[in-house]
Structure formats: C-alpha cells, structure tokens
Amino acid sequence: ASMSWLSWLLTLWPCSAPSLLFLGLMGRQLGLRVGLQGVHTMTCSQWGTPRSQGLFQDGDIVIGGLFIIHYQPPFCKDILDHVPLQYVYAMVFAVEEINLNTELLPGVKLGYYIFDSCGKPPWALQAALSLVGGDRTSCDYQVPLIIGGASSSTAQILSRTLGPLSVPLISYQASCPCLSDRPQYPNFFRTIPSDIYQVRAMAQLAIRFNWTWIGAVVANNNYGLKAIQIFQEETQGAGVCLAFVETLNRENILSDARRAALTIQASTARVILIFTWYTDVRELFLQLTKINVIDRQFLASEAWSTSGDLIQNLATSKVASGVLGVAIRSSSIPGFENYLRNLHPVLHTGDDILKEFWEAEFGCSPGKTSLPPCSGTESLEGVQNLFTDTSQLRVAYNVYLAVYAAAHALHSLLSCPNSNSPPGENSSICSSPKSIKPIELLQHLNKVNVTTPQGEMFYFQGADIPAKYDLVNWQNTPEGTLKLVLIGRVDGFELHLNESAIQWSTGSNQVPISMCSESCPPGTRVANRKGEPVCCFDCIPCAEGEISNTTGSHHCEPCPLEFWSNDKRTVCIPRQVDFLSFNETLGITLTTAAVSGATVTTAVFVVFLSYRQTPMVRANNSELSFLLLVSLKLCFLCSLVFIGRPSVWTCRFQQAAFGISFVLCVSCLQVKTIVVLAAFRSARPGAEALIRWFGPGQQRGSVCFFTCIQVIICAVWLSLSPPVPQHDLGFRGSKVTLRCAMASVVGFSLVLGYIGLLACTCLLLAFLVRKLPDNFNEAKLITFSMLIFCAVWVAFVPAYVSSPGKYTVAVEIFAILASSYGLLFCIFAPKCFIILLRPDKNTKKHLMAR
C-alpha cells in the first residue's frame, strides 16, 4: 500500500534527478527503503530539517504545525519574522490552554511538533511528510492532523499529498477559492474565509466609488491569479476595466517590483489593486518611493492590509498613505499578551526559536554562542514590536481557532456518549489516544460546531468558515506616521462602510477619480472606441428627438410622439403646435396672393359692369360672366379659410367652400362652352331650334344643377365623417402640425373627383369648338384656362401627399390660387385688353368677322 502511494506521488513530480532524490527522501520518512540510482541509504533524520529547527512538546496526542518563521532560503536562517513567530506561540498558547481545560479532552495531554516551512512549498511538504511518516527506526512521532499551509500554493500541495493518507490539514492563511473544492481537497479545512468574499468586497468598493479604470499587481500564483479572475467576473457588466495586470514572483521580486512600479507610473489608472504577500508589497513600495509615485490609491488584500511592517515603515509612508484594505476580522485572545511577555529562554530551555528571537531582540545569548551572555534581567514586558502587539489579532486568532477546532474534533472522536446526558452531549474519554486514525478524525472535523472561548459560533461549511472581514484604512497621524483605522465590516457578501471616516491617498475626504474616460454627461451617450476596453469611450450627443438624462448613459431614449428633446437633449418637452398662420412669411405670402386675386377679380367685375352694354361683355351671356367672376372671387377668398389655427368649424367650412366655389366656377365655364357649341351648331341649316332650347333660363338652371350636386356631396360628407383638427405626429421634429385630418378619404375624393369630372368635360367640349371662324372665339380661352386648371390639379395630388406638416395646407392653397389665377387671366385678360385698350375692336362687326 505504501509503495502504491509513492507511485501515485511520482505522478505529481517530474522525474528529474533532484525530484527522484526528493521522493527517495520522502519514502524514507514513511519507513520505506527505496532503491534509486544516485540515492544512498540513510537513516531517518528529517530531510533538511534537523530537530533543533522546530518547536516540540510531547503529549498523548501530538498535532503538527507548519509556519513561515524564517525567510531567505535555501538556508532558512537569515531573517526571523516577528509576525509568523507570534502565530507559532498562538498555537502553543492554545495547546497549553486546552491542556488546562478540564472539559475539553479531559485526561488527555495535547502536544505539538512545529516546523519552519521557510516560505517554500518543497520545505513545507518535506516537513509535513516528516510529521506524518512515523519511521520504524528513529523517528518517534506520527501526527494525525497538521495546522499549516500559509499560502494557497503550499496548501494545495500539502492537501493533495496528504489526501491519500486522509490526514486533515487546517490552514490559517490559505484563502484561494479553489481549495473549497471538496472532491479535489477532501482533507482540507481553513479558519480564514475564501478569497471570493474579499474579492467581491473589493469589486463592490470599485463599483461604489465609480472606479472604472483600475490597475492590478498580483502574486504569480493561485492566490493572486485566481483573485484577479474573480474580480473581473464580479465587475463584469459594471463598467470596470483593468488598465494592466502585473505579476510578482518571489524569486525575482526585485526586478518584478521595479517593472510593476514603472507600469504604475506610466498608467493613467489612479486606483491600484494589490493582491500579494506583504514582503512583495514592501519591495514594490520601495520602488515606487524611488520614482516618487505617491498619488495612487491602493486597494489591499488581507495578506498585507494590516502589515505592521509596512505601516511602521517611514521610508514608504508617503506611498502607503490612504491604503484601503480588506482585513481578517480582528479578535482578542484573553491572556495571550501576558503569555507572550512572560516568555523567557530560561523557562523554555528547549525552545531554540525563542532563543534565536532573544538574541536578535536583546543582542545577547542565553546560552553559549559568540554573543555576550545575557544578564538574566532581560524581559519582554517593555518591548513594543510586532511580536508583542496583540491589539489586533487576526491571523494569530485563526491559528488559535484551528487548534480549538482540532481539539473539539479529537474530543468528539475519543469521547463516548453519556446515557444520562442529552443526545449528542459527550462526557468522558472512552477511546485510547493511541488508536486515533486520521480518517476518523477527518470525519469528526467535518462535524465541528462549537462556541469559542470568545463566545462565537464556530463551524465548517465544507472546507470554509462563515466569511467575516474588517475594512481598514491607513491614515496619517500628526507625528507623520501611519495608523490603522477600522472603517467598516464585511459579513458574507454584505458590505458595511463608513465613508466619512476614510482618509484617501490625497489626504482629504474627496474620493479619488480613476477613469479612462470621463463619464458622459446627460444629453450624450457612450460610444466605445474600437479595439479599446469598454471603459475607454467617446461621448456622442444624442440625436434630435432623443434624450439621455443620466450620467454615463449607453443609449439615448427616443421621446414619445407628443414630445421632443430640448436643446441639451436631457429632457423631453411637449412639441410646439404648428400650423400655417397669418403671421409667418408663407402665410403672409399666400394671404397677399389670395387678397390680390380677389381684388383683381373685383376690378374686372367693375370693368365688366361699367361696360355691360358693349358687345364684348354681352357676347355669350353676360350673366354667366358675372357669375363666373363671383365664383372666382369666392375661390380666391376660400383659400384664406385654410390659413390660421384649425378648428372644428373651419375644417368643415374650408372643404365645403373650396368644393362648392370651384364647382360653381367650372359649371359656368361648362355652360359657356355649351352655349358656344350650341351657337356654332345652330348656324347650320335646320339647327336653329338648338340655341332657342338652351336659352338663358336653361343656362342658369344648368349651373345651379351642377352646383347642387356638389352641395349634396359636401353635405353628406360633412354630416357623416367631417374633417377634424388633429395633431400630425408622423413628421418628426420639435413641432407637431395641427391640421384638418380627413376622417373620410372617400368624401374628399368625391369632392375632388366631381370637380375633375366637370373640368375634363368642359375641356373636351371647349377643345371641340376651338376652331370657330369668329375673330373672338371664347372657346379658345376656355380651352387654355381648363388646360392650366387640369395641369395644376393633376400636379397637386402627388405634391399634397408628399408634403410634410403644414406644407400640405400650403400646397392645397397654392393649387387653389394657381388654378384661380389661370382661369381669371386666360378668360378675362383678353377681354379687358380689348375693352380698355382697344375699344375700336369692341364692336359687333369686328367680333363677328371671320
């Protein structure tokens, strides 16, 4: 079984010489003897991690711990980090506190084996295998559970490796959402929320403050890359774009930080999202300080948002001012501060880590080293540093919770139900601590649901715990340093923020602006630039008749038919009522033409009346001539009814006046033509009775008959379906035309059709008698006048249909005036010329001459 597990492990690692050596060493940690070329047989000695590099306490049950105590591999001895050192002693304190608790694991002593993973996944994996191996020769420990995996990458490797052994792994800092996948990581648990919650909180902040152009600097691992992926998913559709994404590798942090700093300097983005470890941020801020980039607003992930090392660093305080970050929810651990301050190498003689810290802090050695010996009076009581600062315990509290989760799972596994207790309550330990199987512990860990010493409910939802964060802000103090200020909280997906408490990077309470393009003002719309992110756009004014009344609108909304856009295109206003009025130029022109026509007609009437006894006037029935002049005058005057604001009665009267006036006029012309035709026919032998039959009485009766037919048509039309005033909404514009709408097209067509029928009949008759031998043949004049009349009204139909708004009325008036002027001048101009200018020709002899 062990050999098959090692075979599976070989599939995870490339078979190079170093990897084979590595697997050989791991095999020995499991009590195996693996024969590989170039690998020598060795006894169990914890590969690369001598016993002196850890912190150990034996017990009935021993749990493992992995922490990043040192940095600067490969020797892992250069820098002792104060912050993770506090995490180590949080675990130690929790174990000692549980051992003193008579209700939790009574009679069972809990121990720990803590190793330094040095920030490298291979070191963490080697240490984990050492903890779970339990060599049959010299290695005397085998832990059923490990608390560790400070990074998501390390946690993934450890969980996959320990998964076949069903050894639970509880991480206090691995926050990658990928680790929530139970099928992939069934043995993984964590006391820190998944990054999906803090990334969503950052996305909400970006949307809330309208930051649409954001730069990003992330760790080149699952922690950073997954975070930026989730950020893009959360802001999709909200108009937030990434100006750039720079990745940082810890192995090349100097060059990567320098490159990222130059990118930040060159970018127009004023808000920068940083999702990486605080040591990487420290180097990035140093590079930004060198090039004097101090006006950016940084969004911080929980990995560095509360880093005391960065907050207290005066060299980068100008760059770091105003940082807005998501932080692990802070809590207190009663008694922990006293515990830390009472630590002393004399009381913990086997604690080499504390000894190393003591040497670095006080410059003396409690043992035999090259440093001068300590006096024994050194104490942490007055020391103020990141190790002794317990004002805001965050990750340390996660470690504390992890230990308690392990203790409760062990208690549930080892205890037996008490028959006298309520169901589910355990009273005493029944099983032997030596018989613990990791897979059984894993099952009980899934069921942990307890109340912490601080009174909080604690349970796992799969691998995760309920998400709770603090929102923090780095603010300037009068002394020129920075301080951490709580400005809000995150509960699950809910954001609670006190905006007034924020101090931004500018030092004011004014929210920074970070946009690729300024938001489009009302009256314009967003037009995306081709080939650029959606946050980079131009603002295009809305077209006429469309508006946008919000900032940053992507579309212009058309106004309702009764409304039109104002000049700024921000609001729809009622369209102005428009009609052909007497005050406008077109109305004045048409009115002048109509009045002039009526005046000329009146003048001709006066001339004819004055010369009514002359042959020119008496010829061809002078009564019809006077009636024709009256009808022409009515035609000119009826056009005035079409001008002005339409009303119910004007709409009815204008069509009736138009139809009846023109029928009266054309009827007179037709009767005149019939008289000429009758006179021409009566000159033939045997046809004398024709002219006597169609005498003056019959002529007047014919005019009345033809006119009465039009009167009947108009009466029926106007009584059944008359024209009504109506707004013409078909023409788009700032004005809506008020015109007389034809409720019945049939009625209007009958009126025009009847006029056209009479006109065509008159034209045909006049054309037949156009060649009479008299000097003055009125049939010729009627022929020309009717040709003009018909041409005008044939052209009227398409012009009327195609004209917009009030111009349809103008077209109809023009047709009325043009046809009226044509009749007036073609028929009466030659007669007036003879009457007034050539009286010598106004004789019967001349008129009858051939």
Side-chain angles (χ1 to χ4, degrees), residues 19-30:
S19 63
L20 291 175
L21 175 61
F22 176 68
L23 291 174
L25 292 169
M26 288 193 294
R28 285 201 312 282
Q29 302 304 324
L30 296 171

Side-chain angles (χ1 to χ4, degrees), residues 245-249 252-265 284 287:
V245 177
E246 286 290 338
T247 57
L248 301 179
N249 292 284
N252 308 310
I253 186 59
L254 288 176
S255 59
D256 286 358
R258 188 179 302 112
R259 185 192 69 247
L262 293 175
T263 302
I264 293 173
Q265 183 186 39
L284 175 63
Q287 296 297 330

Side-chain angles (χ1 to χ4, degrees), residues 236-351:
Q236 187 175 11
V240 178
C241 304
L242 290 178
F244 62 86
V245 177
E246 286 290 338
T247 57
L248 301 179
N249 292 284
R250 190 165 297 175
E251 294 79 5
N252 308 310
I253 186 59
L254 288 176
S255 59
D256 286 358
R258 188 179 302 112
R259 185 192 69 247
L262 293 175
T263 302
I264 293 173
Q265 183 186 39
S267 175
T268 57
R270 287 295 176 267
V271 176
I272 311 298
L273 171 65
I274 301 183
F275 227 93
T276 187
W277 193 241
Y278 74 94
T279 53
D280 302 338
V281 180
R282 179 174 55 201
E283 188 58 41
L284 175 63
F285 279 5
L286 287 173
Q287 296 297 330
L288 290 171
T289 302
K290 290 179 181 179
I291 58 178
N292 197 32
V293 178
I294 58 175
D295 61 343
R296 300 301 192 268
Q297 177 65 49
F298 293 101
L299 285 180
S301 67
E302 38 69 46
W304 67 276
S305 62
T306 57
S307 170
D309 183 37
L310 292 174
I311 295 174
Q312 296 173 12
N313 192 335
L314 295 178
T316 60
S317 59
K318 289 185 177 180
V319 174
S321 175
V323 166
L324 184 64
V326 179
I328 300 169
R329 180 70 59 89
S330 64
S331 297
S332 61
I333 303 177
F336 185 49
E337 182 177 7
N338 291 333
Y339 173 79
L340 291 179
R341 295 194 178 277
N342 290 327
L343 288 174
H344 200 286
V346 174
L347 303 176
H348 301 77
T349 54
D351 190 343

Side-chain angles (χ1 to χ4, degrees), residues 427-500:
S427 60
S428 59
I429 300 298
C430 292
S431 303
S432 171
K434 301 298 182 183
S435 64
I436 292 177
K437 295 180 180 179
I439 190 170
E440 294 177 349
L441 180 59
L442 181 63
Q443 294 169 357
H444 284 269
L445 201 57
N446 277 304
K447 301 175 183 178
V448 168
N449 191 337
V450 297
T451 302
T452 66
Q454 286 69 35
E456 295 181 357
M457 291 300 298
F458 178 84
Y459 56 92
F460 287 111
Q461 297 172 322
D464 301 318
I465 62 171
K468 293 183 179 180
Y469 291 99
D470 289 338
L471 293 176
V472 296
N473 183 215
W474 295 11
Q475 299 186 2
N476 293 313
T477 64
E479 295 77 21
T481 59
L482 296 176
K483 65 177 179 178
L484 194 68
V485 178
L486 180 67
I487 58 169
R489 294 186 181 276
V490 177
D491 291 311
F493 292 122
E494 294 184 4
L495 186 72
H496 307 281
L497 179 65
N498 181 11
E499 292 186 29
S500 61

Side-chain angles (χ1 to χ4, degrees), residues 517-533:
S517 301
E518 291 289 337
S519 296
C520 291
T524 62
R525 64 174 178 85
V526 173
N528 293 328
R529 298 173 186 167
K530 188 175 181 180
E532 296 188 30

Side-chain angles (χ1 to χ4, degrees), residues 16-28 32-42:
S16 59
S19 63
L20 291 175
L21 175 61
F22 176 68
L23 291 174
L25 292 169
M26 288 193 294
R28 285 201 312 282
L32 304 175
R33 294 187 180 273
V34 184
L36 297 172
Q37 185 177 2
V39 179
H40 303 284
T41 302
M42 298 175 60

